Amino acid sequence: MYSATLSTPVGPLTVTSNGTAITRVSWEGPKGHDARPELTEALSQLDAYFEGTLKGFDLPLAVEAPAFQVQVCEVMQSIPFGETLTYGDIAKRLDVPAQAIGQACGGNPIPVIIPCHRVLGATSLGGYSGEGGVETKVWLLRHEGAAGLLI
Protein backbone atom coordinates (compact mmCIF):
# COMPACT_ATOMS: atom_id res chain seq x y z
CA MET A 1 0.00 0.00 0.00
CA TYR A 2 1.10 3.53 -0.79
CA SER A 3 -0.08 6.82 0.68
CA ALA A 4 0.20 10.58 0.49
CA THR A 5 -1.37 13.34 2.56
CA LEU A 6 -2.91 16.69 1.62
CA SER A 7 -3.77 19.53 3.99
CA THR A 8 -7.40 20.60 3.34
CA PRO A 9 -10.00 22.90 4.91
CA VAL A 10 -11.55 19.82 6.56
CA GLY A 11 -8.26 18.53 7.95
CA PRO A 12 -5.41 16.46 6.59
CA LEU A 13 -6.60 13.79 4.14
CA THR A 14 -4.43 10.75 3.61
CA VAL A 15 -5.04 8.99 0.31
CA THR A 16 -4.04 5.33 0.02
CA SER A 17 -3.56 3.29 -3.14
CA ASN A 18 -2.83 -0.32 -4.00
CA GLY A 19 -0.33 0.78 -6.64
CA THR A 20 -2.86 1.35 -9.41
CA ALA A 21 -6.09 2.62 -7.82
CA ILE A 22 -7.21 4.67 -4.83
CA THR A 23 -8.46 2.40 -2.05
CA ARG A 24 -8.95 4.75 0.90
CA VAL A 25 -9.20 8.35 2.02
CA SER A 26 -8.87 8.99 5.75
CA TRP A 27 -8.47 11.85 8.18
CA GLU A 28 -5.12 10.65 9.41
CA GLY A 29 -1.96 12.60 9.76
CA PRO A 30 0.89 12.15 7.31
CA LYS A 31 1.95 8.56 6.72
CA GLY A 32 4.69 9.37 4.26
CA HIS A 33 4.47 10.66 0.75
CA ASP A 34 4.82 7.97 -1.87
CA ALA A 35 5.49 9.27 -5.37
CA ARG A 36 2.90 7.22 -7.25
CA PRO A 37 1.08 8.64 -10.29
CA GLU A 38 -2.38 7.73 -8.95
CA LEU A 39 -1.62 9.45 -5.63
CA THR A 40 -0.19 12.55 -7.31
CA GLU A 41 -3.32 12.80 -9.44
CA ALA A 42 -5.63 12.22 -6.46
CA LEU A 43 -3.95 14.98 -4.44
CA SER A 44 -4.10 17.30 -7.44
CA GLN A 45 -7.81 16.65 -7.95
CA LEU A 46 -8.60 16.97 -4.24
CA ASP A 47 -6.71 20.27 -4.15
CA ALA A 48 -8.72 21.52 -7.15
CA TYR A 49 -11.97 20.34 -5.51
CA PHE A 50 -11.21 22.29 -2.34
CA GLU A 51 -10.19 25.34 -4.40
CA GLY A 52 -13.58 25.17 -6.10
CA THR A 53 -12.30 24.45 -9.60
CA LEU A 54 -13.18 20.72 -9.80
CA LYS A 55 -16.71 19.37 -9.58
CA GLY A 56 -16.11 15.74 -10.45
CA PHE A 57 -13.31 13.32 -9.70
CA ASP A 58 -11.80 11.17 -12.45
CA LEU A 59 -9.58 8.70 -10.64
CA PRO A 60 -9.05 4.96 -10.68
CA LEU A 61 -10.88 3.66 -7.59
CA ALA A 62 -10.94 0.22 -6.00
CA VAL A 63 -13.62 -0.12 -3.31
CA GLU A 64 -12.31 -3.04 -1.30
CA ALA A 65 -15.53 -4.00 0.43
CA PRO A 66 -18.43 -6.45 0.24
CA ALA A 67 -20.60 -6.33 -2.90
CA PHE A 68 -23.40 -4.37 -1.20
CA GLN A 69 -20.97 -1.65 -0.08
CA VAL A 70 -19.62 -1.45 -3.63
CA GLN A 71 -23.19 -1.01 -4.98
CA VAL A 72 -23.89 1.84 -2.55
CA CYS A 73 -20.58 3.50 -3.46
CA GLU A 74 -21.50 3.30 -7.15
CA VAL A 75 -24.81 5.05 -6.47
CA MET A 76 -23.08 7.72 -4.37
CA GLN A 77 -20.60 8.36 -7.20
CA SER A 78 -23.54 9.10 -9.49
CA ILE A 79 -24.83 11.96 -7.30
CA PRO A 80 -23.84 15.20 -9.08
CA PHE A 81 -21.81 17.95 -7.40
CA GLY A 82 -24.10 20.19 -5.34
CA GLU A 83 -27.00 17.72 -5.33
CA THR A 84 -28.17 15.22 -2.74
CA LEU A 85 -30.16 12.04 -2.31
CA THR A 86 -31.68 10.59 0.84
CA TYR A 87 -30.89 7.23 2.37
CA GLY A 88 -34.44 6.31 1.35
CA ASP A 89 -33.84 7.30 -2.29
CA ILE A 90 -30.87 4.95 -2.49
CA ALA A 91 -32.71 2.24 -0.55
CA LYS A 92 -35.51 2.28 -3.12
CA ARG A 93 -33.01 1.99 -5.98
CA LEU A 94 -31.34 -1.02 -4.37
CA ASP A 95 -34.50 -2.50 -2.79
CA VAL A 96 -33.09 -2.56 0.74
CA PRO A 97 -33.96 -0.83 4.06
CA ALA A 98 -32.75 2.77 4.46
CA GLN A 99 -30.86 1.78 7.61
CA ALA A 100 -28.64 -0.49 5.50
CA ILE A 101 -27.80 2.49 3.29
CA GLY A 102 -26.85 4.58 6.32
CA GLN A 103 -24.49 1.86 7.49
CA ALA A 104 -22.97 1.53 4.03
CA CYS A 105 -22.47 5.30 3.77
CA GLY A 106 -20.74 5.21 7.16
CA GLY A 107 -18.41 2.51 5.87
CA ASN A 108 -17.46 4.37 2.69
CA PRO A 109 -13.69 3.78 2.40
CA ILE A 110 -13.11 6.71 -0.01
CA PRO A 111 -15.03 9.70 1.43
CA VAL A 112 -15.03 13.06 -0.37
CA ILE A 113 -14.05 11.38 -3.66
CA ILE A 114 -17.02 9.02 -3.26
CA PRO A 115 -19.43 11.67 -1.96
CA CYS A 116 -21.23 10.08 0.99
CA HIS A 117 -21.69 13.64 2.28
CA ARG A 118 -24.33 14.06 -0.45
CA VAL A 119 -26.59 11.48 1.22
CA LEU A 120 -29.04 12.88 3.76
CA GLY A 121 -31.71 11.58 6.09
CA ALA A 122 -35.35 12.17 5.17
CA THR A 123 -35.72 14.82 7.88
CA SER A 124 -32.13 15.52 8.94
CA LEU A 125 -28.59 15.71 7.65
CA GLY A 126 -27.89 12.17 8.82
CA GLY A 127 -24.46 11.29 10.09
CA TYR A 128 -20.94 11.58 8.76
CA SER A 129 -18.09 9.25 9.66
CA GLY A 130 -15.28 11.63 8.69
CA GLU A 131 -13.28 13.72 11.12
CA GLY A 132 -15.49 16.48 12.50
CA GLY A 133 -18.67 14.48 11.92
CA VAL A 134 -21.72 16.41 10.74
CA GLU A 135 -19.83 19.73 10.82
CA THR A 136 -17.54 18.40 8.08
CA LYS A 137 -20.57 17.19 6.13
CA VAL A 138 -22.10 20.66 6.40
CA TRP A 139 -18.84 22.26 5.23
CA LEU A 140 -18.68 19.98 2.18
CA LEU A 141 -22.33 20.60 1.27
CA ARG A 142 -21.89 24.37 1.59
CA HIS A 143 -18.70 24.19 -0.46
CA GLU A 144 -20.69 22.48 -3.22
CA GLY A 145 -23.51 25.02 -3.10
CA ALA A 146 -25.99 22.67 -1.50
CA ALA A 147 -26.27 25.00 1.50
CA GLY A 148 -29.91 25.83 0.71
CA LEU A 149 -30.67 22.46 2.22
CA LEU A 150 -29.14 23.56 5.50
CA ILE A 151 -31.18 26.71 6.12
Side-chain angles (χ1 to χ4, degrees), residues 8-109:
T8 76
V10 295
L13 293 180
T14 296
V15 181
T16 303
S17 87
N18 61 10
T20 57
I22 305 306
T23 59
R24 178 164 298 284
V25 171
S26 59
W27 275 263
E28 297 176 357
K31 291 188 156 213
H33 189 83
D34 294 312
R36 301 278 318 161
E38 71 280 2
L39 290 173
T40 300
E41 183 61 24
L43 295 186
S44 176
Q45 288 189 31
L46 281 164
D47 194 41
Y49 168 81
F50 285 108
E51 286 179 358
T53 59
L54 181 81
K55 295 187 181 199
F57 294 96
D58 183 19
L59 297 165
L61 304 178
V63 178
E64 298 173 348
F68 176 69
Q69 178 80 53
V70 172
Q71 283 183 301
V72 173
C73 285
E74 287 171 354
V75 173
M76 289 188 293
Q77 284 180 273
S78 74
I79 305 169
F81 181 94
E83 296 183 25
T84 62
L85 290 177
T86 67
Y87 300 113
D89 293 333
I90 297 173
K92 286 177 190 168
R93 285 187 192 184
L94 300 179
D95 196 29
V96 297
Q99 182 180 8
I101 301 303
Q103 291 170 342
C105 287
N108 175 12

Side-chain angles (χ1 to χ4, degrees), residues 114-132:
I114 297 178
C116 52
H117 59 277
R118 296 178 189 156
V119 183
L120 309 175
T123 60
S124 71
L125 287 173
Y128 193 69
S129 60
E131 185 74 25

